[in-house]
Amino acid sequence: MRTRERILRAAAEVFDESGFSGGSISRIVRRSGTTMGAMYHHFSSKEDLARAVMAEQDADLDFPPGEDGLQRLLDMSMEVARQLRTNVLFRAGVRLAVEQGDFGMRESAPYELWIKRFTEQLVAAERRGELLPGVDVEDFARALVGAYSGTQLLSEISTGRADLLERIATMWRYLLPGVASPEAISWLRIEAAPEGPQP
Amino acid sequence: MRTRERILRAAAEVFDESGFSGGSISRIVRRSGTTMGAMYHHFSSKEDLARAVMAEQDADLDFPPGEDGLQRLLDMSMEVARQLRTNVLFRAGVRLAVEQGDFGMRESAPYELWIKRFTEQLVAAERRGELLPGVDVEDFARALVGAYSGTQLLSEISTGRADLLERIATMWRYLLPGVASPEAISWLRIEAAPEGPQP
């Protein structure tokens, strides 16, 4: 692994274990097996590291293949739930995005990234006639990112994410009738995607 | 105001401004106009204060009157959105409940409290025939608290809660078809409740 990646991964591990406030730069550097000099060559501060870990939500997921549309949106959302349980870099990014207020950050970029991703699938779904008339795709994508963020937070706090896949499936069961055409609902499947490659 | 309440309110103000990690006990005591001795008489630690502020979500809201059921659930949820913008004690409690991971807490009690409150309204709604057949009221109440928590978080991060009422209304527009009977949907109103008394 290149130095920047080693530091980023070490930061994710430390933030995943202890949060931003509980994780020190010196512990991250020690964990990475690099040096303070290397760390400050790549990142200007702990906030900068946190921002980079959050931004990795964009890069580090391996979504299941499939045609764009509602089924793929469902599959992606279940894959996200699985990755939250297994992928430290991703999980740390989500945790930082939720808890960032406590360390004085307010970055909407990690949320906008998911709104954009979900909107793409919804635009395809609309083209394929899978949506109810009158659904505003960006509006719903934003509602979905909000609902998803809180559902995973509640699952984390109440069960350490043991019930996460079930909770995301439940969220979808209540959301689909407000967004999907009855015909689409008849063939859509809400289930975890097959295991993808691990990061 | 009694001493305990003055300290609790000062803690809420400080946590609301700076978060848990950014707010010190000495600043809270100074803000309260009491003494360190008084503070430690009532609260054993900063965590204990945070827990008390979170627990005030139970006590400090003045919900609009009305018969229990789906309309009241909608009205309550819009009132919560308004209170998040105006009621410091409540807002601080919600913020701490969301960001608590960063300071090493994991209290599900504030969420369970809302699940219970929402379940009561849903049980009444079911009795009144306002729900679709097959809706599990506790299951939906939990999904609603998750969706609500994330919706307010995203609104806070992206607009400082300027769009909160609109976002909660949008959430409901997509959720109602999955939970309410078509007849109930025809007369339910999604709108902010009239201004209640300020805390």
Side-chain angles (χ1 to χ4, degrees):
Chain A
M1 255 195 296
R2 289 161 56 188
T3 307
R4 185 180 184 280
E5 283 167 52
R6 283 168 62 181
I7 297 167
L8 202 59
R9 176 154 297 267
E13 288 174 13
V14 168
F15 292 150
D16 181 52
E17 291 161 16
S18 310
F20 179 88
S21 300
S24 70
I25 292 233
S26 61
R27 191 164 138 222
I28 291 168
V29 168
R30 211 158 49 237
R31 178 78 60 100
S32 71
T34 65
T35 64
M36 209 53 109
M39 140 68 204
Y40 279 110
H41 174 70
H42 290 284
F43 303 98
S44 62
S45 63
K46 200 161 91 159
E47 283 73 14
D48 193 29
L49 259 175
R51 214 171 279 115
V53 171
M54 285 194 260
E56 284 292 310
Q57 287 177 65
D58 199 14
D60 205 51
L61 294 187
D62 230 319
F63 286 122
E67 280 184 60
D68 288 351
L70 269 187
Q71 184 62 58
R72 184 132 203 264
L73 178 60
L74 291 176
D75 292 346
M76 282 171 64
S77 71
M78 298 312 274
E79 175 65 16
V80 166
R82 284 197 321 106
Q83 297 264 346
L84 275 169
R85 295 174 31 157
T86 57
N87 180 337
V88 170
L89 188 48
F90 179 60
R91 183 167 60 228
V94 169
R95 176 178 181 167
L96 293 171
V98 167
E99 295 173 359
Q100 58 177 311
D102 195 50
F103 46 92
M105 283 178 75
R106 200 162 123 184
E107 291 274 319
S108 61
Y111 294 91
E112 298 299 336
L113 183 162
W114 284 103
I115 292 168
K116 184 165 164 288
R117 247 178 195 161
F118 289 169
T119 298
E120 284 167 13
Q121 297 305 319
L122 288 161
V123 165
E126 190 171 47
R127 207 169 42 225
R128 294 157 64 104
E130 297 169 357
L131 302 188
L132 289 173
V135 170
D136 178 322
V137 293
E138 281 197 33
D139 206 43
F140 178 67
R142 181 168 289 271
L144 181 59
V145 169
Y148 199 109
S149 303
T151 300
Q152 70 81 26
L153 171 64
L154 179 53
S155 168
E156 155 66 10
I157 287 174
S158 55
T159 70
R161 293 208 177 91
D163 70 353
L164 179 58
L165 279 131
E166 183 192 336
R167 292 297 158 203
I168 296 298
T170 299
M171 176 195 82
W172 272 120
R173 274 192 292 275
Y174 290 115
L175 276 177
L176 276 182
V179 65
S181 71
E183 201 229 320
I185 287 178
S186 72
W187 53 259
L188 285 168
R189 288 167 302 110
I190 304 175
E191 60 189 7
E195 291 277 328
Q198 291 305 303
Chain B
M1 255 194 299
R2 289 164 54 191
T3 307
R4 185 180 183 281
E5 282 167 53
R6 282 168 61 182
I7 297 169
L8 202 60
R9 176 154 296 269
E13 288 174 15
V14 168
F15 292 149
D16 181 53
E17 291 161 15
S18 309
F20 180 88
S21 300
S24 70
I25 291 231
S26 61
R27 191 164 139 221
I28 291 167
V29 168
R30 211 158 50 237
R31 178 79 59 101
S32 73
T34 65
T35 63
M36 209 51 108
M39 141 68 204
Y40 279 110
H41 175 71
H42 290 284
F43 303 97
S44 61
S45 63
K46 200 162 91 161
E47 283 74 11
D48 194 29
L49 259 175
R51 216 171 277 115
V53 171
M54 285 194 261
E56 284 293 309
Q57 287 178 63
D58 199 14
D60 203 52
L61 295 186
D62 231 320
F63 287 122
E67 280 184 60
D68 288 350
L70 269 187
Q71 185 61 58
R72 184 132 203 264
L73 178 61
L74 291 176
D75 292 347
M76 282 170 65
S77 71
M78 299 312 274
E79 176 65 15
V80 166
R82 284 198 321 103
Q83 296 265 346
L84 275 169
R85 293 170 37 152
T86 58
N87 178 336
V88 170
L89 188 49
F90 179 60
R91 183 167 59 228
V94 169
R95 176 178 180 166
L96 293 171
V98 168
E99 296 173 357
Q100 58 178 312
D102 196 50
F103 46 93
M105 283 179 75
R106 200 161 121 186
E107 292 274 318
S108 60
Y111 294 91
E112 298 300 335
L113 184 161
W114 284 102
I115 291 168
K116 183 166 165 288
R117 247 177 196 162
F118 289 168
T119 298
E120 283 166 13
Q121 297 305 319
L122 288 162
V123 165
E126 188 171 48
R127 209 169 41 227
R128 294 157 64 104
E130 297 169 0
L131 301 188
L132 290 173
V135 170
D136 178 323
V137 293
E138 281 199 34
D139 205 44
F140 178 67
R142 181 168 290 271
L144 181 59
V145 169
Y148 199 109
S149 303
T151 300
Q152 71 81 25
L153 171 64
L154 178 53
S155 169
E156 155 65 10
I157 287 175
S158 55
T159 70
R161 292 208 178 91
D163 69 354
L164 180 57
L165 280 131
E166 184 192 336
R167 292 298 158 202
I168 296 298
T170 298
M171 177 195 80
W172 271 120
R173 274 193 292 276
Y174 291 115
L175 275 177
L176 276 182
V179 66
S181 72
E183 202 228 319
I185 287 179
S186 73
W187 53 257
L188 285 167
R189 288 166 304 107
I190 304 174
E191 60 188 6
E195 291 277 328
Q198 291 305 303

